[in-house]
């Protein structure tokens, strides 16, 4: 076999492949064997029909077609490996010449990962929010804890803000009660905003046994997004009583003996949360700066597939779970279809560029992923998916997704390398040393940032190097 590569543009090549006929022998033998198992000829046992008889009865062309279909992937893959191409997706194959007993010539056009020049990124500088925890932040955190330990007791008065009411609901659309529009014994805290718009005004002022009717847009169910006439009946009003903020409360709500110790712990936890947010913000902004430094051509077909995948995932998974369609979603977001398409394209371009650049860094820096790093990443992904680690691992293995997780961790390590080399300052002008973070945690945070940018689950299947 001989092959030549013609570069059509930075992300697409044409392979011209010449195969001497003798190299088709295995595929021809396989073609005769396959046809032998599929047909019957009087006077011959099944599977024992001579090749000349198959040629006479069914035509040599049918055999050649079967042999070529079997051989093309093997010779294509051999040519790709010989040229050391990092191909994306499936090739467009065109048989240019097929001479029985002589030669097979064909071309294959395919997208490839572009060769990227990663410049010096040590000069990257970004600004992030300062880690500042105020007394008000601590008080708010403790107050939220206090709310969780509130007690309720029924009262014989009109409902007020902050009360917990027990209610029955009935929703009608166009005068008809919905099958899933009836609910009884629902507990609702007035002012929480956890139910329908307008319900707070409807129930405030009602005593047990009172009812009111209001109009609201349904957020879920069979009539999600439609205007409904909702009747609410209050069956009980209960007042919430908050515990006193003292040492006794600290002992009730935590492992601490004093309120001061509880507040100190709350301050420390808030600082840790803000430091995590700060590190994530640094990684996101460093990634943006890195992408600005690198010229990344994007294959048109890959971009088209990525845009379609993102739209499909939004419409058929995310919105479907919320009972919304794309039209209603855009209405809620206040966006036109054109604006949505433009934003989706921009996100797809950024995702592809992120993957290409970080993968190039993985290769240049010779970054590897060990079992411990993969396991840690799997545990985190399992937690975010709501599955147990064992369930998630089984789903990953059965779905052939292990290389995707390895890629996510590797990209996280690449991004961590760039962040380490960059200068990060907070809004107070202080230089932030992210090296103080646990290295494994830093890689995991970076992996999450990279995965969010690339939406790897959606794109990776189309960007893996073809193996055969």
């Amino acid at each position: 076999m001989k092959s030549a590569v013609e570069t059509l543009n930075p992300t697409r090549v044409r392979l011209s492949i010449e195969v001497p006929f003798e190299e088709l022998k295995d595929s021809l033998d396989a073609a005769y064997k396959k046809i032998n198992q599929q047909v019957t000829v009087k006077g011959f046992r099944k599977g024992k029909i001579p090749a000349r008889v198959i040629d006479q009865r069914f035509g040599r062309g049918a055999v050649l077609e079967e042999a070529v279909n079997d051989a093309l992937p093997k010779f294509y893959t051999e040519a790709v490996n010989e040229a050391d191409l990092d191909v994306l997706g499936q090739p467009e194959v065109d048989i240019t010449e097929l001479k029985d007993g002589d030669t097979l010539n064909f071309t294959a056009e395919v997208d490839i990962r572009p060769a990227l020049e990663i410049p010096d990124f040590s000069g990257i500088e970004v600004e992030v929010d300062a880690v500042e925890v105020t007394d008000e932040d601590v008080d708010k955190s403790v107050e939220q804890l206090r709310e969780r330990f509130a007690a309720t007791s029924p009262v014989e008065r009109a409902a007020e803000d902050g009360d917990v009411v027990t209610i029955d609901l009935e929703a009608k659309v166009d005068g008809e009660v919905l099958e899933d529009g009836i609910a009884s014994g629902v507990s609702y805290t007035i002012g929480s905003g956890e139910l329908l718009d307008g319900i707070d005004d409807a129930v405030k002022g009602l005593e047990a046994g009172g009812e009111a009717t209001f109009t609201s847009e349904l957020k879920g169910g069979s009539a999600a997004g439609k205007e409904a006439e909702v009747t609410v009946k209050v069956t009980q009003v209960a007042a919430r009583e908050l515990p006193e903020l003292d040492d006794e409360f600290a002992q009730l709500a935590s492992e601490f003996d004093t309120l001061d110790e509880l507040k100190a712990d709350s301050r420390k936890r808030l600082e840790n949360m803000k430091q995590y947010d700060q590190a994530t913000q640094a990684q996101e902004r460093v990634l943006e700066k890195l992408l600005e430094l690198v010229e990344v051509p994007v294959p048109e077909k890959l971009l088209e597939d990525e845009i379609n995948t993102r739209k499909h995932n939004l419409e058929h998974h995310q919105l479907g779970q919320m009972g919304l369609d794309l039209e209603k979603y855009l209405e809620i977001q206040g966006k036109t279809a054109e604006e949505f398409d433009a934003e989706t394209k921009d996100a797809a371009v950024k995702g592809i560029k992120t993957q290409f650049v970080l993968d190039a860094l993985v290769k240049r820096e010779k970054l590897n992923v060990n079992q411990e790093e993969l396991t840690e990443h799997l545990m985190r992904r399992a937690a975010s998916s709501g599955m147990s680690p064992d369930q998630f691992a089984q789903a990953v293995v059965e779905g052939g997704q292990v290389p995707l997780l390895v890629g996510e961790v590797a990209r996280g390590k690449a991004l961590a390398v760039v962040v380490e080399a960059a200068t990060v300052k907070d809004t107070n002008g202080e230089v932030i040393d992210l090296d103080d973070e646990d290295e494994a945690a830093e890689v995991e945070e970076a992996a999450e940032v990279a995965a969010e940018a690339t939406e790897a689950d959606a794109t990776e299947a189309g960007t893996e190097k073809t193996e055969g």
Side-chain angles (χ1 to χ4, degrees), residues 320-339:
Q321 293 175 355
M322 295 187 286
L324 296 175
D325 59 18
L326 183 58
E327 183 179 354
K328 190 62 185 178
Y329 169 75
L330 294 179
E331 182 182 327
I332 293 171
Q333 294 290 314
K335 295 178 184 176
T336 65
E338 291 74 20
E339 289 171 335

Side-chain angles (χ1 to χ4, degrees), residues 189-221:
T189 301
I190 299 175
S192 66
E194 294 174 351
L195 279 178
L196 299 167
D197 293 337
I199 195 169
D200 289 337
D201 291 336
V203 297
K204 276 191 291 188
L206 295 181
E207 296 183 20
E211 68 176 57
T213 300
F214 64 100
T215 301
S216 183
E217 182 180 298
L218 299 178
K219 296 180 179 179

Side-chain angles (χ1 to χ4, degrees), residues 1-2 17-21 23-24 75 102-106:
M1 185 202 79
K2 292 192 300 183
I17 302 166
E18 298 180 15
V19 183
F21 209 80
E23 293 187 30
L24 288 173
F75 290 116
D102 187 6
T103 187
L104 164 66
N105 296 336
F106 68 96

